[in-house]
C-alpha cells in the first residue's frame, strides 16, 4: 500500500518555519503522497510557502480565529479529524511539534515515534535515545497510523519550486474553553534562528559577563551567524535561555559551529554533534570539547575573536 | 486541592551510557538509578504549591516493578504525602503510561497533574500530552513558571521562539522544564520519616487500561563517532583553514 503522509505545518502566521521543509524531506524518504496541513488564522502566505515546497501534493488550509495561536488543545482535534485519510502524520520535533503531536497520537489511539532521524522503510525508523548516546530501530505495528516527530538536525530542508494546490478545510471543532493564549515574549529576532542558521557561534561561562558577549554578537554579525550559549552561560545570566544549546536546550546541526570558551559537557555536546564542522576555542588544552572538535585552537577567546574580526574584514 | 506527580526510575544522568554488546538495550547492571531529573522538578513544584497553602496533598505515582519503590521513597523524603506504585513487570510505552496515570488521577480526583517534560532514557516527551488528550483536559508543557490562582494555572512555557504564557483551567496536566525550580536536598531525618509514610501498591492489571499496539524497539547501537580533528596555532591559521574548507 502506498503511503499517504500528512505534515503539520509550523509557522508564526506569516512565515513557514524551516522545520516543515525538513518534514517534507523525511516524507520523501518514506515515499508516497505528501500533503501539508496549515492551521491558523490569516495564513494565506504560509499556505503559499508550503505549496512551493518540492514534493508536496496538496496544502490543506484550515483558517479559523481560535487557531490563531498554537494551543495544542485547539490544534490537535483538527489534525486528528484530518488524519483519517492518511497512513502517516508527521510534525517537527520542535517545541511546537513536541507539544502537539503526542496529543494527536493519543486522540488517534496510537503510540508515537519521537525524533525520527532516519527512515529505513515506510514503518521502520531510527531515533536517538539517552540524549543521542544510543540509537534504536523502531517498527510501527501494521494497521496503525504512523504518528511521528521529525528531528530537525537530521534532515535538510526540501527544495522550493513546487506548485501544490491549496484546498480549504473548515474547522471541525470549537475553541477549547479551558485553554487560553496570553503572550509570547520573543527572543532577539535580529540574527538567524539557531535551528536554521548555517553558521552558529557559541559562548560559555568564560565570557564572564553579558557585556563581553557583545564581542561574540559582533563576530556573529560579521559571519551572518546565529548565536548560541552553553547552559553555564545561561545559568550565569549572561544570555537569555532561548540561546541555550544542548540536551535541555536546542539541538542544532549548522554547517559550521564555533564554540568559544565552552568546555564540552555531555549536555552541550549532545546538542551539536550533528554539526558539519565543529571548531573549539578554549584556554584549557584538556577541555573535553577538543575530543569532538574538527578544528581546535588553544588560546584566549577574546584575543581570538579580535583577530578573527580583523582577518574577516 | 490534590496534586498528582508522576515519576520514573531512570539511569542517573551522570552515568555514561553504554550500549550492550548484544544490541538489546543499554547496560543497567550495577548502574546508579535515580528519579528522572525533570520529575524531581515536578515533585519540587508540587511541594512548593502545597507549602504556599494552595494545595492540601501531594501524591507521587510510579509505574514499574518493586525497584521503583526506592524512587517513591525518595519523593516521600522530599516531602510528598503518600505514594502509589502501579506494579508492572514490563516497561510501558507512553500511551499505556498515560492511560494508567489517568486512571490513578481519576480515582484520586486529582486537580493538577505535574510530570517531567520528558524522561532522560527514552526521550519521548509524550506521556503528559497524551494523558491530557485522553482526559479531555488542557496541557501546559515545558513549564518554566507556574502560578495558581483558584482553578486557573498561568504557565510560562519554554518554546523555541522564546517564552510563551498560557492560562489553563484545572484539572490540567503540566509538564516541567529544567529552569522551573531547583529541587531540594533530602536530609537524613526526612528519609527516616519517609519510611512511615504510606506507599500503596496497585496491580497494573487492576487499572483495566486495555491493550495498545506497542512500537517494536530493537537494534540498540552507539552513535556514529566523529573523525579525528586537527589543531591550529592561532586565529590566522583558523581563518585560513575555514576559508580553505569554504566555510566562511
Amino acid at each position: 500500500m502506498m503511503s499517504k503522509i500528512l505534515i503539520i505545518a509550523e509557522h508564526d502566521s506569516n512565515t513557514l518555519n524551516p522545520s516543515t521543509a525538513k518534514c517534507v524531506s523525511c516524507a520523501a524518504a518514506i515515499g508516497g503522497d505528501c500533503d501539508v496541513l496549515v492551521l491558523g488564522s490569516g495564513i494565506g502566505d504560509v499556505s503559499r510557502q508550503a505549496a512551493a515546497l518540492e514534493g508536496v501534493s496538496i496544502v490543506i488550509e484550515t483558517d479559523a480565529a481560535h487557531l490563531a495561536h498554537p494551543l495544542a488543545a485547539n490544534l490537535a482535534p483538527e489534525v486528528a479529524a484530518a488524519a483519517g485519510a492518511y497512513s502517516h502524520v508527521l510534525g517537527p520535533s520542535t517545541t511546537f511539534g513536541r507539544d502537539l503531536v503526542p496529543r494527536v497520537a493519543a486522540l488517534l489511539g496510537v503510540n508515537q515515534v519521537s525524533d525520527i532521524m532516519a527512515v529505513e522503510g515506510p514503518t521502520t525508523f531510527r531515533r536517538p535515545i539517552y540524549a543521542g548516546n544510543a540509537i534504536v530501530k523502531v517498527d510501527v505495528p501494521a494497521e496503525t497510523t504512523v504518528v511521528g516527530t521529525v528531528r530537525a538536525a537530521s534532515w535538510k530542508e526540501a527544495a522550493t519550486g513546487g506548485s501544490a494546490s491549496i484546498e480549504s478545510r473548515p474547522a471541525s471543532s470549537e475553541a477549547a474553553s479551558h485553554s487560553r493564549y496570553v503572550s509570547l515574549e520573543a527572543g532577539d529576532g535580529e540574527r538567524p534562528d539557531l535551528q536554521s542558521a548555517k553558521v552558529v557561534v557559541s559562548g560559555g561561562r568564560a565570557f564572564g559577563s553579558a557585556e563581553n558577549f557583545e564581542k561574540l554578537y559582533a563576530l556573529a554579525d560579521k559571519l551572518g551567524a546565529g548565536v548560541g550559549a552553553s547552559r553555564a552561560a545561561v545559568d550565569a545570566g549572561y544570555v537569555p535561555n532561548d540561546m541555550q544549546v544542548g540536551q535541555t536546550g536546542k539541538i542544532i546541526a549548522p554547517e559550521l559551529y564555533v564554540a568559544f570558551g565552552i568546555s564540552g559537557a555531555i549536555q552541550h555536546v549532545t546538542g551539536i554533534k550533528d554539526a558539519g564542522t565543529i571548531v573549539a576555542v578554549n584556554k584549557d588544552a584538556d577541555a573535553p570539547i577538543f575530543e569532538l572538535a574538527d578544528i581546535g585552537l588553544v588560546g584566549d577567546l577574546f584575543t581570538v575573536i579580535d583577530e578573527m574580526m580583523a582577518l574577516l574584514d | 486541592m490534590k496534586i498528582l506527580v508522576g515519576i520514573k526510575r531512570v539511569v542517573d544522568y551522570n552515568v555514561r551510557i553504554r550500549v550492550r554488546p548484544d544490541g538489546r538495550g543499554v547496560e543497567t547492571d550495577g548502574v546508579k538509578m535515580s528519579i528522572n531529573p525533570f520529575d524531581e522538578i515536578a515533585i519540587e513544584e508540587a511541594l512548593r504549591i502545597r507549602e504556599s497553602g494552595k494545595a492540601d496533598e501531594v501524591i507521587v505515582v510510579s509505574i514499574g516493578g518493586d525497584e521503583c519503590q526506592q524512587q517513591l521513597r525518595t519523593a516521600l523524603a522530599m516531602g510528598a504525602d503518600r505514594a502509589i506504585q502501579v506494579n508492572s513487570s514490563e516497561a510501558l510505552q507512553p500511551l499505556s503510561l498515560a492511560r494508567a496515570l489517568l486512571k490513578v488521577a481519576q480515582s484520586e480526583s486529582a486537580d493538577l497533574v505535574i510530570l517531567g517534560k520528558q524522561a532522560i532514557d527514552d526521550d519521548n516527551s509524550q506521556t503528559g500530552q497524551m494523558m491530557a488528550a485522553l482526559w479531555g483536559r488542557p496541557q501546559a508543557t515545558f513549564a518554566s513558571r507556574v502560578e495558581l490562582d483558584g482553578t486557573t494555572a498561568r504557565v510560562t512555557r519554554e518554546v523555541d521562539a522564546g517564552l510563551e504564557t498560557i492560562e489553563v483551567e484545572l484539572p490540567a496536566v503540566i509538564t516541567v522544564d529544567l529552569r522551573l525550580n531547583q529541587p531540594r536536598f533530602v536530609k537524613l531525618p526526612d528519609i527516616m520519616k519517609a519510611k512511615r509514610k504510606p506507599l500503596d501498591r496497585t496491580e497494573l492489571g487492576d487499572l483495566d487500561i486495555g491493550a495498545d499496539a506497542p512500537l517494536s524497539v530493537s537494534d540498540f547501537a552507539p552513535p556514529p563517532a566523529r573523525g579525528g580533528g586537527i589543531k591550529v596555532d592561532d586565529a590566522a591559521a583558523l581563518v585560513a583553514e575555514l576559508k580553505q574548507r569554504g566555510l566562511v
Side-chain angles (χ1 to χ4, degrees):
Chain A
M1 191 192 77
M2 204 173 76
S3 298
K4 216 166 148 26
I5 303 163
L6 182 67
I7 289 168
I8 311 165
E10 176 174 4
H11 61 85
D12 64 3
S13 298
N14 300 313
T15 309
L16 190 67
N17 190 291
S19 63
T20 305
K22 294 182 173 187
C23 290
V24 172
S25 293
C26 179
I30 293 166
D33 265 349
C34 169
D35 296 346
V36 174
L37 177 63
V38 181
L39 303 170
S41 175
I43 43 176
D45 285 350
V46 176
S47 297
R48 280 186 287 279
Q49 291 161 36
L53 291 174
E54 201 84 62
V56 176
S57 303
I58 302 170
V59 172
I60 304 159
E61 181 186 274
T62 300
D63 193 317
H66 74 282
L67 304 178
H69 299 293
L71 284 170
N74 284 338
L75 301 188
E78 301 300 333
V79 181
Y86 294 90
S87 59
H88 295 62
V89 178
L90 300 178
S93 187
T94 55
T95 52
F96 165 79
R98 281 159 55 212
D99 183 49
L100 171 59
V101 180
R103 192 161 180 122
V104 173
L107 294 179
L108 297 175
V110 299
N111 279 297
Q112 174 192 305
V113 187
S114 292
D115 301 315
I116 295 171
M117 60 191 294
V119 172
E120 294 187 352
T123 59
T124 305
F125 307 95
R126 291 269 171 190
R127 66 171 298 254
I129 59 171
Y130 286 98
N133 288 300
I135 312 294
V136 291
K137 184 170 94 170
V138 179
D139 287 287
V140 179
E143 313 289 317
T144 62
T145 308
V146 176
V147 177
T149 57
V150 175
R151 185 171 182 263
S154 301
W155 299 90
K156 296 229 179 298
E157 291 169 38
T160 53
S163 53
S165 59
I166 300 176
E167 294 175 6
S168 159
R169 184 181 198 282
S172 57
S173 303
E174 304 278 300
S177 59
H178 52 51
S179 301
R180 285 179 298 279
Y181 171 88
V182 177
S183 63
L184 175 68
E185 188 189 316
D188 181 5
E190 288 169 31
R191 294 191 184 85
D193 173 60
L194 270 180
Q195 304 274 13
S196 50
K198 290 188 166 45
V199 179
V200 171
V201 296
S202 202
R205 207 205 313 256
F207 275 81
S209 71
E211 294 72 51
N212 285 342
F213 254 86
E214 295 295 334
K215 292 181 191 292
L216 190 64
Y217 298 143
L219 179 64
D221 292 342
K222 187 152 276 190
L223 292 168
V227 185
S230 69
R231 184 168 168 215
V234 172
D235 285 350
Y238 302 159
V239 295
N241 53 27
D242 57 337
M243 280 172 57
Q244 187 186 321
V245 171
Q247 184 187 359
T248 52
K250 295 195 169 84
I251 293 176
I252 60 172
E255 287 169 18
L256 173 62
Y257 183 78
V258 190
F260 290 98
I262 291 179
S263 65
I266 183 92
Q267 282 257 6
H268 186 78
V269 164
T270 296
I272 60 166
K273 42 176 186 234
D274 290 327
T277 300
I278 296 174
V279 175
V281 178
N282 203 301
K283 228 169 12 190
D284 175 10
D286 296 324
I289 188 99
F290 287 122
E291 290 167 27
L292 185 78
D294 301 293
I295 307 174
L297 170 52
V298 179
D300 174 66
L301 68 93
F302 297 115
T303 311
V304 173
I305 289 176
D306 287 346
E307 289 175 8
M308 285 181 79
M309 288 294 285
L311 288 159
L312 289 164
D313 265 334
Chain B
M1 186 176 93
K2 272 193 201 178
I3 305 177
L4 182 71
V5 179
I7 67 171
K8 185 177 186 185
R9 171 185 165 94
V10 298
V11 174
D12 188 87
Y13 75 101
N14 280 316
V15 172
R16 185 175 280 267
I17 297 299
R18 280 179 219 286
V19 174
R20 275 165 39 184
D22 65 6
R24 300 172 83 168
V26 302
E27 294 287 2
T28 50
D29 279 356
V31 164
K32 186 184 176 199
M33 304 296 282
S34 298
I35 298 176
N36 177 45
F38 293 107
D39 302 348
E40 218 179 342
I41 295 166
I43 299 166
E44 177 65 34
E45 194 63 18
L47 297 175
R48 290 185 188 188
I49 293 169
R50 189 195 63 197
E51 285 159 3
S52 74
K54 290 179 176 161
D56 312 299
E57 192 178 28
V58 173
I59 307 159
V60 283
V61 57
S62 191
I63 300 167
D66 289 344
E67 62 279 359
C68 76
Q69 289 184 11
Q70 200 187 336
Q71 280 65 41
L72 287 169
R73 287 287 173 205
T74 305
L76 292 171
M78 284 177 73
D81 297 290
R82 58 191 173 91
I84 300 168
Q85 177 204 353
V86 177
N87 187 42
S88 167
S89 52
E90 52 169 336
L92 299 186
Q93 292 184 1
L95 186 60
S96 290
L97 289 171
R99 286 176 173 157
L101 287 173
L102 178 55
K103 290 280 184 177
V104 174
Q106 286 172 328
S107 71
E108 292 289 346
S109 307
D111 304 283
L112 177 59
V113 176
I114 311 182
L115 306 173
K117 73 162 181 177
Q118 72 191 77
I120 61 164
D121 50 6
D122 293 333
D123 284 334
N124 273 317
S125 192
Q126 300 174 15
T127 303
Q129 298 90 310
M130 287 183 161
M131 183 185 178
L134 299 172
W135 204 1
R137 295 305 308 169
Q139 68 191 46
T141 52
F142 325 136
S144 63
R145 189 180 167 92
V146 176
E147 292 166 276
L148 284 182
D149 182 8
T151 58
T152 303
R154 178 179 273 243
V155 179
T156 301
R157 310 177 51 232
E158 295 208 9
V159 298
D160 293 334
L163 294 172
E164 183 194 79
T165 301
I166 63 171
E167 279 181 355
V168 295
E169 296 298 325
L170 304 186
V173 179
I174 294 176
T175 78
V176 305
D177 215 323
L178 208 63
R179 268 169 290 269
L180 179 62
N181 61 47
Q182 190 76 47
R184 65 197 63 190
F185 287 108
V186 172
K187 297 189 226 42
L188 190 60
D190 300 326
I191 295 172
M192 304 310 290
K193 235 190 293 177
K195 288 184 178 156
R196 293 191 298 273
K197 288 185 177 175
L199 192 162
D200 294 325
R201 193 167 180 275
T202 306
E203 292 301 321
L204 176 69
D206 294 341
L207 293 183
D208 197 23
I209 58 167
D212 62 11
L215 307 174
S216 152
V217 179
S218 61
D219 293 19
F220 287 65
R226 291 186 73 96
I230 58 159
K231 281 266 168 67
V232 293
D233 291 329
D234 52 27
L238 173 59
V239 170
E241 185 67 33
L242 291 175
K243 280 187 173 157
Q244 201 204 325
R245 297 187 190 197
L247 290 165
V248 295

